[in-house]
Amino acid sequence: YWSSLRYFFFFSSRRRHTRCSGVSWARRCVQETGTWGYLQNKLESKYKSDQVLSKENQAKWAQIPEGRKANLSRDFYLYEFENGLETLLFGQEPILIRKGPFTYKESLELKDIQFSEDEKTANFKVTSKQDPQQQDNEGSIKTLNVGQLSFWNARIIANLRQYAGTVLIQTQDVLLSLHNELLAKYIFKFNIPSGLTQLYQTASIGTANQEFINNDAYYGFKNVQSTLGFVRACLLQDPLTSGLKEYFQLTTEQFNALVNGFKQWIQAAQDQLDKAYTCEGGSCTPQILASKQWNSGVVTKSPPEGIDALESIKDGNSTIRGYPEIFLYFN
């Protein structure tokens, strides 16, 4: 736009004998030469067009904020728990030392951008990245395990037997998910590699939809975590409410046939869980497996054949801080 500005300066100056020099006189000069309205409209038009993703500016949107020649970083601070044992055993006031900053560069990447025919909507995949830039502190940092700290605090004023049930309820979101994860791991290892072709044929699902389901990393069969999403959908009272029929662009008949076949795999995996663990009533429900894991860790230590053994559910989930199971604190 500065090139356009200089162009109008030159010709308008010759026509009106207007002398334009100096940055502070730029706007006045443009007004005098009659080009301010034109320049203002061009700038406003460019600004508005960049705010909406389009085929013309998708290169800028593909890398955010890099595509817009900007940097976005975030500083994180952690707190070192200096006197954990003293606080726990003797009631001392906690001493927390701030450590940091830990600086991360944040960015978003838009992939596989596809526009509708009228270009009013677009579908794309978004990947969020946090790249470490610098950190003032190295080594491990001892932090609060709030869940277990609250348990031991309550242990002082409550009977262990009475309180154990309450704590188990508080951690059920983590422990109960273990059941579905075991089902997903077993199905992904033993059923999906050899049974998908037959499952798709039974459900009359075409090649394009098959590739979509196979490669989808959120609810398809690309990995264990995505398979877990389909397991959860199939265990709903009405799987149609999961929204996966619309997500994978299937008919109701195709989706129901796919779910019915997948439920057979879930039942076969459940039979393996019942075989691997001795459960009251013969069926290893999510609650029973959670209780076993809470008290002994046997569920992750001795899983069905073909599934990797883990000391704790923490070892299979990077978002869990500390050890949720109580048995680890008695060893």
Side-chain angles (χ1 to χ4, degrees):
Y1 297 117
W2 282 112
S3 61
S4 299
L5 187 62
R6 288 193 297 269
Y7 174 85
F8 281 103
F9 279 176
F10 175 76
F11 286 98
S12 298
S13 297
R14 290 173 62 87
R15 183 173 64 252
R16 299 189 181 187
H17 305 287
T18 302
R19 186 175 183 180
C20 301
S21 62
V23 176
S24 62
W25 293 91
R27 177 169 176 169
R28 178 181 173 184
C29 181
V30 174
Q31 289 175 330
E32 291 181 359
T33 56
T35 60
W36 174 251
Y38 171 81
L39 181 61
Q40 186 178 28
N41 290 337
K42 290 288 288 184
L43 291 173
E44 289 180 353
S45 175
K46 181 63 176 176
Y47 173 79
K48 292 179 180 179
S49 66
D50 276 351
Q51 303 314 301
V52 180
L53 174 62
S54 64
K55 289 184 177 179
E56 289 72 22
N57 64 15
Q58 61 178 311
K60 291 183 178 181
W61 281 84
Q63 299 286 340
I64 302 174
E66 286 88 343
R68 298 179 177 272
K69 298 181 180 180
N71 290 315
L72 177 63
S73 62
R74 189 185 300 271
D75 289 341
F76 293 90
Y77 292 87
L78 301 177
Y79 289 83
E80 178 95 28
F81 195 7
E82 290 287 311
N83 59 337
L85 289 178
E86 291 80 0
T87 299
L88 180 64
L89 299 178
F90 307 112
Q92 289 186 7
E93 183 176 343
I95 299 176
L96 302 178
I97 308 298
R98 191 172 79 162
K99 303 286 187 179
F102 299 89
T103 304
Y104 285 79
K105 181 181 179 182
E106 296 187 348
S107 63
L108 292 177
E109 183 177 3
L110 276 60
K111 296 181 178 179
D112 302 330
I113 303 176
Q114 298 180 351
F115 293 90
S116 60
E117 292 184 3
D118 58 9
E119 298 187 18
K120 292 184 177 180
T121 60
N123 293 322
F124 49 82
K125 297 179 180 179
V126 181
T127 302
S128 177
K129 296 181 180 179
Q130 292 81 33
D131 297 320
Q133 299 298 296
Q134 67 178 33
Q135 58 183 48
D136 294 342
N137 302 278
E138 297 182 355
S140 61
I141 295 179
K142 291 182 291 185
T143 61
L144 286 169
N145 186 337
V146 178
Q148 290 304 324
L149 189 63
S150 63
F151 170 81
W152 288 113
N153 178 65
R155 171 65 185 89
I156 300 174
I157 58 176
N159 179 274
L160 178 60
R161 183 182 297 274
Q162 293 174 344
Y163 197 71
T166 304
V167 176
L168 182 58
I169 293 175
Q170 292 175 345
T171 58
Q172 66 179 345
D173 287 343
V174 175
L175 288 168
L176 294 183
S177 64
L178 176 62
H179 173 262
N180 292 348
E181 290 177 2
L182 287 171
L183 295 177
K185 287 180 179 179
Y186 187 89
I187 291 171
F188 185 76
K189 185 175 182 62
F190 294 103
N191 297 114
I192 287 180
S194 59
L196 273 183
T197 301
Q198 180 62 42
L199 186 62
Y200 289 143
Q201 290 177 354
T202 303
S204 300
I205 296 176
T207 303
N209 290 101
Q210 290 182 28
E211 293 180 355
F212 183 12
I213 300 173
N214 289 342
N215 297 318
D216 186 79
Y218 297 99
Y219 306 104
F221 304 140
K222 185 173 184 178
N223 51 49
V224 172
Q225 286 302 314
S226 60
T227 304
L228 175 60
F230 205 88
V231 169
R232 288 171 174 164
C234 289
L235 292 177
L236 293 174
Q237 185 173 1
D238 182 5
L240 283 172
T241 62
S242 67
L244 293 188
K245 178 181 80 71
E246 294 77 12
Y247 182 80
F248 288 122
Q249 303 173 12
L250 302 174
T251 66
T252 301
E253 292 74 16
Q254 288 175 326
F255 181 74
N256 287 336
L258 183 64
V259 168
N260 290 335
F262 199 85
K263 282 185 175 180
Q264 295 180 14
W265 292 354
I266 291 178
Q267 184 57 55
Q270 180 65 53
D271 292 342
Q272 292 299 317
L273 296 186
D274 297 339
K275 182 180 179 180
Y277 312 109
T278 303
C279 300
E280 296 181 6
S283 179
C284 293
T285 64
Q287 291 77 13
I288 292 177
L289 290 181
S291 178
K292 286 180 174 291
Q293 182 66 20
W294 170 259
N295 289 289
S296 65
V298 66
V299 178
T300 56
K301 288 181 177 179
S302 303
E305 184 177 355
I307 299 178
D308 295 336
L310 302 172
E311 176 72 9
S312 164
I313 57 176
K314 176 193 76 69
D315 299 324
N317 190 328
S318 60
T319 64
I320 299 177
R321 300 179 63 83
Y323 292 97
E325 301 96 331
I326 192 65
F327 80 92
L328 289 158
Y329 293 88
F330 291 107
N331 290 343

